[in-house]
Amino acid sequence: MILTKAQYDEIAQCLVSVPPTRQSLRKLKQRFPSQSQATLLSIFSQEYQKHIKRTHAKHHTSEAIESYYQRYLHGVGKNGAAPVLLELANEVDYAPSLMARIILERFLQEHEETPPSKSVINSLLRDPSQIPDGVLANQVYQCTVNDCCYGPLVDCIKHAIGHEHEILLRDLLLEKNLSFLDEDQLRAKGYDKTPDFILQVPVAVEGHIIHWIESKASFGDECSHHAYLHDQFWSYWNRFGPGLVIYWYGFIQELDCNRERGILLKACFPTDIVTLGHGAAAP
Amino acid sequence: MAAVLESLLREEVSVAAAVRWIARGAQSSEGDAGEAAALSSLRPLRKEFVPFLLNFLREQSSRVVPQGPPTPAKTPGSSAALPGRPGGPPRGGRGARSQLFPPTEPLSAAAEAPAARRGGRRRGPGQARERGGRGPGSLEEGVGGESPLWAGSRRPRAAGSPSRARSDPPNLSNLEEFPPVGSVPPGSAGRTKPSRRINPTPVSEERSLSKPKTCFTSPPINCVPGPQPSVLDSSPWGQGLTAGCRSLQEEREMLRKERSKQLQQSPAPACPTPESGSSLPTRTGNLTAEPADPAKVSSRQRLELVALVYSSCIAENLVPNLFLELFFVLQLLTARRMVAAKSSDLEPSPGVLGSPESPLFQSVHDCVFFAVQVLEHQFQVLSCLDKGTLKLLAENERLLCFSPALQGRLRAAYEGSVAKVSLAMPPAVQAVSFQPETDNRANFSSDRAFHTFKKQRDVFYEVLREWEDRHEEPGWDFEKGLGSRIRAMMGQLSAACSHSHFVRLFQKQLLQMCQSPGGAGGTILGEAPDVLSVLGADKLGRLRRLQERLAAPQSSGGPCPPPSFPGCQAFFRDFILSAGSFQFNQHLMDSLSLKIRELNGFVLPQPEASEEDGEADVDWQGERRQFAVVLLSLRLLAKFLGFVAFLPYRGPEPPPTRELQDSILALRSQVPPVLDVRALLQQGLRAHRAVLTVPWLVEFLSLADHIVPMLDYYRSIFSLLLHLHRSLVLSKDSDGEMCFLNKLLLLAVLGWLFQIPTVPEDLFFVEEGQVDVFEMDTETSEHGLDGVPVVDQHLLYTCCPYIGELRKLLAVWVSGSSGRSGGFVRKITPTTTTSLGAPPLRTTQGLQAQLAQAFFHNQPPSLRRTVEFVAERIGSNCVKHIKATLVADLVHQAESLLQEQLVTQRQEGGDPGQLLEILCSQLCPHGAQALTQGREFCQKKSPGAVRALLPEETPAAVLSSAENIAVGLAIEKACTWLSANITALIRREVKAAVSRVLRAQGPEPAARGCRRGCSRAFADQIPVLGPPAQHQLERGQARRLLHTLLSLWKDDFQVPVPLQLLLSPRNVGLLADTRPREWDLLLFLLRELVEKGLMGRKEIEACLDSLREAQWPEDFAEELATLFNLFLAEPQVPEPQLRACELVQPNRGTVLAQS
């Protein structure tokens, strides 16, 4: 699951040419059978997000919005049950959930006196049944369930996976008899930055001392890792010393270059652990 | 001054008297009157003697082609007092003093062949251009690429290639040039800064074409340039001096022109000029050394004499810098050759004393002879140098050839030296940990302040990481790279409370990262077990040497490097400069001052008053380490305090005019000092804690600006320091005095301080009259640190890395003459591919130690203190416990074994020494149990103690780790001591037991009858009677002694005393030999014996009768007879009923009852 930069680039290159659909993912899996589904999905999702970020602006010009809205109105005018919005999103190569948001915002602007707040939009997207227009509600729903990278459902799934891995990590720590403070406990004590776990007694992993462990239920690519380093990992180092990051879905090998400096990357719970006063723990 | 040397040479004055005269201005009381008279006429010149001597020696050795750079000398410009320069006969008052060794070369030589003399301390234009060409940018790159930013203004870094700047550090000796040149426009002539160079040497235009071999060469390894001729300096005596001086002015002018020409020609500063290129061969050691031969020494007696005077001045601390002089002497020892002078010069002058005109050093042989002479006097200091230096000295073939005895002593010192300068591990950067008690929201005034500080912490470390990554890259500039980010961050610190938070972080990080130049403070003081265990001892040595080599070019710049900020310190200095924040600086000074005060109060845990010695050193190692950590922290903090405090005043040079200076002084003298260092110094001296206080004070003062030493407040500090310096005579080793290495450390740091450019050159040689006398409070001396051996060799070298220059000098000699020597410094081939920068190697042991260190990182500091305290106490108790149990048992065994032995060999009366050996060989092996038992003891006792002392709420995992660490530390402490000392301890106790048993068995009843303590009462007062009867007591004393004896016999003895033996012919015969014979004392004794009832009259009469029969000299027999008659003629006192021995019996009861 730890990929070299070259391996990663090959996968990313392959993704550029395929549409963000489940079929594409299946094809990807056939193309790279040695990689796990989860890793490929994570990379797929990240690459897609990068793509969307790149093209975000062009879908948000007022001309584009107006044009999408008119096409939507025209489409549902012909057949309200057809997946008008979803097809439109696929046609213009934009994430369905985000397309739904654009149309919903535009719709609300037209029908409400005050422009809708972000939280209102979010809650309407989460629960389309609250959308005053039944047709639009249906269209939005089709978009969010068919979007595998954006939208409230995906967010929810991601959150659940993240939490699941935290629980997994906690269990492993308990199993290894390593005592720790978790994020909630740390917040209660007034820490200003809180990794998932701080070890009360540091251990050595592969010969490196670690004081804290952060769980990331995603693949560690350059982009996300650098963002994490800046916002989280170095901040942890600045307060608690060296630590360990577990990218459960793997990472690019070359990114694990800060070991000497105190950021250690792993794709699973480490086996080579030395605790204070004892030799290596049994794997 | 020359006159003094002259009278020494004529043997009118002894060396001792001369040195006394120099040191103390001794009047006739100490020496003989003739000497005093000879010297007192020279009194006004007294204080100029030492500078004259130092200048004289350097001048005399100017034709020597040495190893390494010329030794700087910072003595008041005494060019006037120099031996007559080509100016012909000496003039005026100065003439008399400069006559001893008048012109070192005949006039003609100087005039006709100026090039021949130019090897002097001045570097030729080739070098001058090279240095001048460095340009203002690189000049301030201090040692090792440091940029000391002395002038307080930022200047662009290494406009060219920094690597060059590194390989060619700006200057080691030439302190006066650092830092000003960079900021002074070239060619600004006519400054009045007094020259510190003592012996300007003529230079002519021809110089630029002359062969480079006449220059001082630089050491091949680091190519350190010698002192640059201070081209911009002009002597205050410049005008109206001798022709020689005037011609020097012309030469300076010439140099100045040459320099500006070169500056115009080559604006690219780093580009080496052809001239410097051509001089390279000499710098790489191509110049083979002339062999030195003791038989060819030209004027032994004169050299011996000067060496003796010079050594005495060194020994009396009359020279400013001990190690600088040693450096100079070693340069003489390793002189490659002598520049050929006129042939007439080289002719040996047979009548040595008769021809004082001849140069002191006429050949390499002379130089080496002189150097070895001085080294012989300095052996005590040499023996404290590191093992490497000792080895190089002991292996030096010249030294062996000139003084096999000294070589032998050095070899012995080398073999006996256990201390070594350990490998400094590269510091591992660690962040200051977040402590909720001080860092959480409750400690901030608002959410905003809390979140701002959160961001600042991250920016600070981001900046630090970037600096780590990039500061060695060529072309990278701190200010350009980080300045704006730092200022933006500082801009956010609005509330005072945020400032104090940030300053706390800054200061803690500073201490964590740079407690010692090479490493992470406390940890480097320990051994480096990781490297050792992985590489093995052999490879470790290689590794160390390799590292030393790699580190050498940037380690330090010569024997007197300017103050610098090595390693990580540069980050903190540059951070302060880039931040440029008044608030930050103020908070930082407050915080540094507080911490300095706190650490300066460090109290060495008093060794417990234990009934026996030996036990105290259980705690010893830890204490020494603790002291070192405190001292190094103090030095670091004080350096930064000095840096920040004097930052606003720092300028490149002293004020140009007197008026300006006075007005500045008036302003500055009303500014209170940032920290009352004078009071701290006075306290330190009074409490005998100079060894702690002075080293950091020196760091503080080293960063002062030019005005500081002129301010009354600091002047008085310098006076105290000078007085202290003078008092630290190394050869004095009396009770309550400072330990040798403590003294050496102080001498080294003070000597270094006196060479700092901002310290006025004449300061050292002031009249003592101006020195405020301080009084040592002898009451407290026993509790002071000065008398405790807190400084070890490692600490000395850590504080004064420049002492290592001596080793480098010798190593260069070896490498330059490798063909002939065994080649101590060999080419070292790295044996592993791992880079030196790699982190500590991961052995199980090393990892555990790291884990233990890391464990404390995120815990409150009190946890660490608790664990260390427990370990320390339990470890100490463990040793006591072992003594009380295991050792006591063994002693019991010894006693019973002894009883058996005595039974079996009762008649033989076996030799106690042999008995002891037998017992020890049986019992000492049991000592091995001490380690097991000690371990058990610590395991049993430590956890409970930790548990009792830590808060109830401590998490279980933390508690158990703390317990384990405490157990481990306690075991380490106890077992280290036990394994080293248990055998000796058992031996000592068994020995005591044996003598106890033997005493109890012993047959001498008199000894048994004597009450304990009576022997102590007067045994030491009884004069030793023997052939040389020098120990005659004065009469009163003798009478008192007799009284004591009589009362002892009467009151304290519980058995009969055979007093009649007193009057045996043998004892009375002893009287015959004394003159005058003390008959009245004998008469007194006889009377008292009777009076006290110790002897009966009849008994005495009987004794006296028997004396008559002995053979006596006639006069003695007569006198004896007179005495008898006197005694017999005395009125009869009633005869006592009982004899003394019988009277004793009732006394015994009372004695027992009383006791």
Side-chain angles (χ1 to χ4, degrees), chain B residues 1107-1121:
Chain B
L1107 280 178
R1108 274 190 232 267
E1109 292 154 27
Q1111 292 288 316
W1112 302 111
E1114 214 176 285
D1115 60 333
F1116 188 77
E1118 271 172 38
E1119 288 176 37
L1120 194 62

Side-chain angles (χ1 to χ4, degrees), chain B residues 1083-1084 1086-1088 1090-1091 1097 1101 1123-1133:
Chain B
L1083 192 58
F1084 165 76
L1086 296 178
R1087 283 185 198 139
E1088 285 298 308
V1090 176
E1091 217 154 89
R1097 233 185 137 76
E1101 281 175 26
L1123 176 87
F1124 291 171
N1125 295 336
L1126 271 172
F1127 180 71
L1128 294 173
E1130 279 185 23
Q1132 294 269 337
V1133 279

Side-chain angles (χ1 to χ4, degrees), chain A residues 179 189-192 200-204 207-209 211 230 234-235 237-240 260-261 274-278, chain B residues 429 431-434 436 440 450 454 457-458 461 465 468-469 839 842 848 851 854-855 858-859 955 957 961 965:
Chain A
S179 64
K189 286 191 165 199
Y191 282 83
D192 58 358
Q200 285 186 319
V201 180
V203 299
H208 295 272
I209 304 281
H211 288 277
H230 182 266
W234 284 130
S235 293
W237 185 94
N238 297 342
R239 288 157 179 78
F240 316 113
E260 308 308 336
R261 278 223 156 147
V274 176
T275 55
L276 187 57
H278 303 92
Chain B
V429 178
V432 173
S433 81
F434 182 97
N440 73 11
F450 180 55
K454 174 172 89 177
R457 183 194 287 261
D458 288 330
Y461 284 111
R465 271 191 292 270
E468 268 200 301
D469 285 343
R842 283 150 203 139
Q848 284 298 323
L851 277 169
F855 169 70
N858 285 323
Q859 303 294 346
S961 296
I965 294 174

Side-chain angles (χ1 to χ4, degrees), chain B residues 1014-1036:
Chain B
C1014 68
S1015 65
R1016 286 186 203 168
F1018 63 94
D1020 54 344
Q1021 296 176 33
I1022 296 176
V1024 179
L1025 293 175
Q1030 298 155 328
H1031 295 281
Q1032 278 198 354
L1033 294 173
E1034 60 147 299
R1035 301 180 57 79

Side-chain angles (χ1 to χ4, degrees), chain B residues 229-392:
Chain B
S230 324
V231 284
L232 301 175
D233 289 353
S234 63
S235 157
W237 304 275
Q239 316 310 318
L241 276 189
T242 61
C245 288
R246 228 177 282 124
S247 73
L248 282 171
Q249 287 302 314
E250 291 162 19
E251 287 160 11
R252 287 202 180 95
E253 193 51 45
M254 217 154 58
L255 265 179
R256 209 173 289 140
K257 280 184 197 147
E258 181 67 13
R259 184 164 181 266
S260 62
K261 225 191 300 171
Q262 284 161 358
L263 281 175
Q264 285 160 5
Q265 281 166 359
S266 55
C271 181
T273 60
E275 281 93 330
S276 68
S278 68
S279 72
L280 272 176
T282 62
R283 310 174 96 211
T284 45
N286 262 359
L287 197 64
T288 49
E290 264 178 43
D293 182 353
K296 293 186 184 158
V297 174
S298 58
S299 48
R300 272 173 183 271
Q301 198 184 344
R302 195 167 61 151
L303 286 167
E304 271 170 14
L305 190 71
V306 178
L308 184 56
V309 174
Y310 180 52
S311 302
S312 309
C313 288
I314 295 176
E316 289 278 342
N317 294 330
L318 297 172
V319 301
N321 188 328
L322 164 68
F323 288 101
L324 195 58
E325 300 310 317
L326 285 181
F327 188 80
F328 172 66
V329 170
L330 290 186
Q331 280 189 314
L332 289 180
L333 176 72
T334 58
R336 293 237 176 249
R337 60 174 57 194
M338 203 89 172
V339 174
K342 285 290 269 192
S343 56
S344 59
D345 267 4
L346 293 177
E347 273 166 29
S349 24
V352 175
L353 285 178
S355 65
E357 285 84 15
S358 59
L360 183 64
F361 304 120
Q362 298 189 13
S363 61
V364 166
H365 321 295
D366 289 2
C367 293
V368 174
F369 178 77
F370 177 82
V372 171
Q373 288 284 313
V374 178
L375 290 178
E376 280 183 339
H377 292 290
Q378 298 302 323
F379 175 75
Q380 206 184 2
V381 175
L382 296 181
S383 65
C384 286
L385 296 176
D386 68 314
K387 220 171 157 128
T389 312
L390 285 174
K391 184 172 163 71
L392 287 169

Side-chain angles (χ1 to χ4, degrees), chain A residues 24-248:
Chain A
S24 306
L25 195 61
R26 270 196 290 276
K27 275 186 219 152
L28 200 64
K29 177 75 187 139
Q30 284 161 5
R31 170 87 194 275
F32 300 100
S34 60
Q35 306 301 336
S36 78
Q37 166 99 4
T39 301
L40 288 175
L41 180 58
S42 186
I43 294 174
F44 174 88
S45 166
Q46 283 166 350
E47 290 304 307
Y48 184 67
Q49 284 174 38
K50 282 179 212 162
H51 168 71
I52 293 299
K53 266 180 211 150
R54 279 196 299 272
T55 56
H56 175 83
K58 87 173 183 197
H59 298 293
H60 279 75
T61 60
S62 52
E63 295 81 11
I65 292 173
E66 203 50 40
S67 139
Y68 296 152
Y69 190 55
Q70 291 309 323
R71 286 184 65 179
Y72 157 75
L73 288 178
H74 181 73
V76 295
K78 282 207 290 197
N79 178 5
V84 177
L85 211 45
L86 182 63
E87 278 166 9
L88 174 63
N90 285 339
E91 188 194 320
V92 302
D93 193 16
Y94 197 51
S97 299
L98 301 177
M99 181 58 86
R101 178 185 286 267
I102 290 174
I103 300 303
L104 180 61
E105 269 178 12
R106 177 69 184 77
F107 172 85
L108 291 175
Q109 269 172 17
E110 200 170 273
H111 293 84
E112 311 274 320
E113 264 126 57
T114 51
S117 74
K118 219 165 187 166
S119 63
V120 169
I121 303 265
N122 283 341
S123 78
L124 292 179
L125 284 172
R126 260 200 303 274
D127 180 7
S129 64
Q130 291 176 12
I131 296 173
D133 181 307
V135 175
L136 180 57
N138 198 29
Q139 291 290 328
V140 167
Y141 185 71
Q142 282 172 345
C143 282
T144 51
V145 294
N146 281 293
D147 192 327
C148 56
C149 293
Y150 281 94
L153 280 177
V154 173
D155 287 347
C156 193
I157 292 167
K158 280 183 178 169
H159 185 80
I161 295 174
H163 190 65
E164 186 187 337
H165 282 88
E166 276 179 43
I167 301 288
L168 182 72
L169 178 55
R170 173 192 301 267
D171 289 347
L172 284 163
L173 290 172
L174 289 172
E175 187 189 312
K176 301 284 178 203
N177 216 4
L178 302 175
S179 64
F180 55 82
L181 293 172
D182 66 22
E183 231 174 328
D184 296 335
Q185 289 168 304
L186 291 172
R187 260 191 223 107
K189 286 191 165 199
Y191 282 83
D192 58 358
K193 286 274 188 176
T194 52
D196 289 330
F197 299 100
I198 286 187
L199 299 175
Q200 285 186 319
V201 180
V203 299
V205 171
E206 291 165 19
H208 295 272
I209 304 281
I210 61 159
H211 288 277
W212 49 266
I213 305 179
E214 177 78 2
S215 162
K216 291 287 174 217
S218 63
F219 181 84
D221 69 346
E222 275 169 300
C223 181
S224 60
H225 184 65
H226 283 133
Y228 283 139
L229 272 178
H230 182 266
D231 297 334
Q232 299 185 356
F233 307 154
W234 284 130
S235 293
Y236 302 154
W237 185 94
N238 297 342
R239 288 157 179 78
F240 316 113
L244 166 70
V245 177
I246 302 179
Y247 279 113
W248 294 102

Side-chain angles (χ1 to χ4, degrees), chain B residues 534-553:
Chain B
V534 169
L535 292 183
D538 171 49
K539 285 180 185 161
L540 180 69
R542 287 171 149 224
L543 178 68
R544 178 178 307 137
R545 269 177 281 153
L546 177 61
Q547 193 180 26
E548 272 169 6
R549 270 198 158 192
L550 293 175

